[in-house]
Every structure is written in structure tokens, then in C-alpha cells.
Amino acid sequence: MKGAISRRRNANSVPAGCGSAGQALVYLLGMLGALLAGVVVTFNATQLLARKQRLLNAADAAAFSVATWQARMLNSGAYVNRAIVANEAAIAQAVSLRSWLEYMQTATRNSGAITSAIPYVGQAMAALARLAGGINATAQPALGATEIVLSTSNQELALAQRAFLRLGALTTPDLARRALNVNEPTASWSAGGELALRRQQAQWQGFLVEDGGRRRERLKNVVGESLDEFTRARSYDVRPPLLGAVLRLRKRGGTELLGFDTWRGMDTAALHARPLFGGFRETIPLGWGSAENGRATLVRGWHDGSWAVNPRTSSLARAGTVARRQYLGLPSSLALRDRAAGSDPRLRTVLRAQLPRQSLEFWQEIWPGARLSTPGTSDADAEPSLLRDRILATSAAEVAFVRPIGRRDRQRERGSLFNPYWRARLASLTTGEQALLDGADAIAGARGASP
């Protein structure tokens, strides 16, 4: 009996642990589901952040491409200005040589007349005068032709500079779009980005100014500082032995740009004697010469003191000036617009790119209204992009004047279009630029949402 009861109990009993195993399986399935959901969310979030990073890289590439293009245009403009300055200095040298050759011809001729009674010396001076006259007759037309070629080249260089610097701004929107689409084909500019592109074009146009008319003074000063010593001043004094206290030879001469449209060189030499009372006075003109190219002018010029020291000889030189009228004047070129003292001229490019909604649909379903920020960026870069149904990426770049090596005089050099030291670099977004972009995008979003 006891054995039968025991067998019935054993038959109806449940194996130990079967209930707890079923419960663990349910928990395990729940955990696997949560883990799978976490993996999916993490994967999609990573994909979204990767797209955001690619978009940011594309925006950086576009902004840096625009800044690099503008830096190259500014450097090209600086090279053109330097070529213009070099050509103007060469024109001044040619005019100086023509003036000096005229002076040598008259000086040797007059010296030959003075020494004609001296055996051998008179004949030697006469031969030297004939040689100087032959060289002068040959060199005058050749140097004049050189002045014409250089002056014409300067006008063409200035015209080309104005054309490519003014029209170069028109290419920046297309350049920015190409750079963006090469790195992220589905991206486009947001409303704020389009506004920033138009604003950047206006900034470029306002960054430059044409130095024409009286404003050519800036280019004239640079040309004047670039002249060599022979062109700028050809002066010296000679004191004869034993007679230096009462007799001196004074040579004066120099070449300068009169106004903006005439180069003139003058060379004079005269004997100065000291009377019993008073200082040295111009007594005998010995040699003179003058050359000119450009518009006729009544301005006498300075010519390193020729008019002050040798006035009579200068009058002879002015009367016999070998004048040409083919010089076209100092050209009108582009320069940077004047700015407040202490401010560095800079060009900024700010761009904002966006990706369309279809790339965000899954992420919006699991986390609507999220803020998206890529690692390494500031809080200002965390746009509520998903709330506006798109990813946004903002980038800024600037063009600045940076000398690779400091000046020898240790002076600080401001940016100009005479030295090709313009460099492009990425920059941080300012608060004002951020507000401008956000405002434009908000207005565009409100219009798109309105019925």
C-alpha cells in the first residue's frame, strides 16, 4: 500500500527548477530585445553623427575653398601691382638715361670748346663729344620705344587686374557649391547659407577700391620709394685742388613723376665761384640735359635741387627738353579700402549646409526634437536640426595678411595689395554670424510651415 502511494506521488510530481527556467527565458528574451533596440538606436545614432561629420567636413571644404580662391586672387592682384611698380621704375630709368645722355653731350661739347686751345686735350674732348653725340642719337629712340612698351603694358596689366578681381567674386557661389557637392552630393545650402554667400560677395566688392584720379597718390608713393639711387638723385660737388675755397663744380640731377602723367629727368652742372663777399654763386653753365615723357605740364619739379642750385643751367635744360608724349600716365589699379587705424583687413566666408529630411526619418521616430552635435565642436554648433527636419553644418573661414618672416625694421605691416602675403584659414563663428544664420533659417522655416 505504501509502495503504491509512493509511486502515485512520484508520477504526479513536477521536476524541480522547471518553473524558474521558464521565467528566466522570458527575462532573457526581454533583455535581448532591449539590447537589440539599443544596438539599432546606437547604430542609427552613429550613422547620423557620421553624416553630420561628413556634412561639416563638406562645409569646411567649401568655406576653405572660397577663402583660398580669394587669397589667390588678392596675391595675384599684389603681383600685378608689383609688376606695375617695376615697370614704372624702368620707365623712370629710361627717362633718366635720356636726360643723362643729353647732359653728357652738352657737357663734353662745352668742355671741348673751353679746352680747344690746349693741345691734345681739345682734340680729345672734341672726339669724346662726337662719341657722346652718336650714342645719344642712337639711344634716344630706343629708350623712348621702351617707355612706350612699358607704359602700354602697365595699362593692360591694370585693366586685367580690375577685371579678374571684380569678376572673381561672381565665381565664389559656384565654387562653394562644387566643393560642397563633391564631398556630400545630397547636401545644399540652407536659407542662411544662401544669405551668407550673397553677403560674402558684397563684402568682397566692398573690400577693394579703385585707385584712380587723385587716389593714385598711394601707387605713386610706392613707385617713388622703389626708384634706384641713379634715378632718384644724380648729384655731387667737386672742389678743385688749391681752388676749392673760391671755385666749385656742382652737379645736380634727378628724375621724378610730375603729377600722375609725366616723367621728367633733368641733369645740370655749373661752375660756382665765391666773390669777395657772400657765398658761392652759379657762374658758368657747363652741361645740361632734360628728358620728358607724358602729358605737357608747367610743373618745374625738384630734380634733387637742380632749380635751387643751378637755376640758369636748369633753364637751359628745360628749354632743350627732349619731350615725348607717349607715356599713358600712372594706371588706375585696385587697392584695399582704407580702414580704421589698428584694424587688420580680413575677408570672412561663412557657410551653412543642410541635408534633406529623408536621411532622418528613422531617427526622428525614435528621438524627435533632439539636438545634434559632433564631437569636438562647441555648444554653439549644436543646432536643433532634427526639429527642423534636417541636419545643419556651419563653417567659417577667413583670408588674412600674414607675413611669413618679420620685417627687418621690426615694424608691423598692415595688409595691402603690394605684398602677396594673403593666406586662407578656417576660423571660429562669431555670435553675430550665428545669429544671422539662425534668423534667416528661422524665417525660411516659418514660411515653409505656413499654409
Side-chain angles (χ1 to χ4, degrees):
M1 187 70 178
K2 290 182 179 179
I5 295 173
S6 176
R7 284 194 298 271
R8 286 198 299 270
R9 287 179 178 175
N10 292 336
N12 296 330
S13 63
V14 179
C18 287
S20 59
Q23 295 174 359
L25 179 61
V26 172
Y27 291 143
L28 179 61
L29 291 176
M31 291 178 63
L32 288 175
L35 180 62
L36 180 61
V39 170
V40 171
V41 170
T42 302
F43 175 77
N44 282 276
T46 303
Q47 291 288 76
L48 190 59
L49 286 173
R51 294 213 66 183
K52 163 77 177 198
Q53 185 62 56
R54 287 200 302 270
L55 182 63
L56 182 60
N57 292 340
D60 285 344
F64 189 74
S65 296
V66 171
T68 301
W69 170 244
Q70 291 175 338
R72 288 175 178 174
M73 284 195 293
L74 291 174
N75 288 334
S76 298
Y79 280 120
V80 170
N81 278 339
R82 292 169 75 93
I84 291 174
V85 170
N87 285 345
E88 291 293 330
I91 294 173
Q93 288 176 337
V95 173
S96 300
L97 283 174
R98 291 201 293 121
S99 173
W100 188 79
L101 289 173
E102 283 289 320
Y103 157 76
M104 287 299 297
Q105 181 177 342
T106 58
T108 54
R109 184 179 65 236
N110 293 336
S111 298
I114 294 173
T115 60
S116 59
I118 304 176
Y120 301 110
V121 176
Q123 291 84 345
M125 292 303 301
L128 188 60
R130 288 193 297 271
L131 177 62
I135 295 175
N136 186 36
T138 303
Q140 286 289 340
L143 291 171
T146 301
E147 296 163 17
I148 297 173
V149 172
L150 292 174
S151 181
T152 304
S153 299
N154 272 357
Q155 296 296 327
E156 293 175 351
L157 284 171
L159 180 62
Q161 183 204 51
R162 293 195 299 271
F164 77 75
L165 284 181
R166 289 298 190 191
L167 298 179
L170 301 179
T171 64
T172 53
D174 182 65
L175 175 64
R177 290 187 179 90
R178 287 175 180 268
L180 178 68
N181 292 331
V182 164
N183 292 277
E184 189 61 53
T186 60
S188 61
W189 301 122
S190 69
E194 292 286 354
L195 176 62
L197 271 176
R198 292 193 293 270
R199 182 171 176 264
Q200 205 281 333
Q201 282 186 291
Q203 182 189 14
W204 171 264
Q205 296 294 345
F207 194 70
L208 303 172
V209 63
E210 183 173 345
D211 277 354
R214 302 299 304 178
R215 291 186 62 90
R216 289 178 290 174
E217 189 70 34
R218 178 159 34 188
L219 180 58
K220 179 180 178 179
N221 291 336
V222 176
V223 171
E225 292 295 328
S226 303
L227 298 179
D228 62 285
E229 290 299 325
F230 175 78
T231 301
R232 187 183 294 112
R234 303 180 289 276
S235 303
Y236 56 85
D237 289 350
V238 177
R239 300 182 181 183
L242 304 178
L243 299 177
V246 295
L247 192 67
R248 291 181 183 179
L249 170 66
R250 289 189 169 180
K251 165 70 173 67
R252 293 293 182 271
T255 302
E256 57 192 88
L257 183 60
L258 306 178
F260 302 100
D261 304 301
T262 307
W263 279 105
R264 182 190 295 158
M266 180 177 288
D267 290 88
T268 61
L271 282 175
H272 287 244
R274 172 182 286 177
L276 294 178
F277 302 98
F280 284 91
R281 297 179 182 176
E282 182 184 13
T283 306
I284 304 175
L286 291 181
W288 56 87
S290 178
E292 180 178 298
N293 202 339
R295 183 180 301 173
T297 177
L298 298 177
V299 178
R300 294 200 313 180
W302 174 247
H303 307 296
D304 200 38
S306 181
W307 284 99
V309 176
N310 299 326
R312 290 173 53 196
T313 315
S314 297
S315 297
L316 295 173
R318 184 70 184 92
T321 298
V322 181
R324 294 177 175 270
R325 302 301 176 204
Q326 293 86 6
Y327 177 64
L328 302 176
L330 202 63
S332 299
S333 62
L334 288 180
L336 301 188
R337 189 176 297 276
D338 293 330
R339 282 166 174 77
S343 63
D344 291 324
R346 294 186 181 184
L347 269 174
R348 290 184 60 84
T349 298
V350 179
L351 301 175
R352 174 172 282 181
Q354 63 182 7
L355 284 175
R357 173 175 179 170
Q358 52 266 29
S359 62
L360 307 174
E361 289 180 350
F362 180 82
W363 179 260
Q364 285 177 312
E365 292 177 1
I366 62 175
W367 198 353
R371 297 177 68 87
L372 185 63
S373 177
T374 53
T377 59
S378 63
D379 293 338
D381 293 326
E383 303 98 349
S385 52
L386 302 186
L387 190 62
R388 294 194 289 248
D389 298 337
R390 61 189 184 275
I391 301 176
L392 296 178
T394 305
S395 180
E398 67 178 11
V399 181
F401 187 83
V402 181
R403 285 187 64 96
I405 301 176
R407 291 169 57 104
R408 292 183 178 180
D409 57 7
R410 298 184 179 180
Q411 296 295 317
R412 179 174 174 271
E413 182 177 351
R414 297 185 61 191
S416 69
L417 271 189
F418 291 102
N419 279 328
Y421 299 139
W422 294 95
R423 300 291 182 267
R425 60 194 181 192
L426 292 175
S428 301
L429 199 67
T430 65
T431 304
E433 292 166 342
Q434 181 77 45
L436 179 66
L437 294 172
D438 291 342
D441 286 332
I443 293 173
R447 289 177 178 175
S450 61

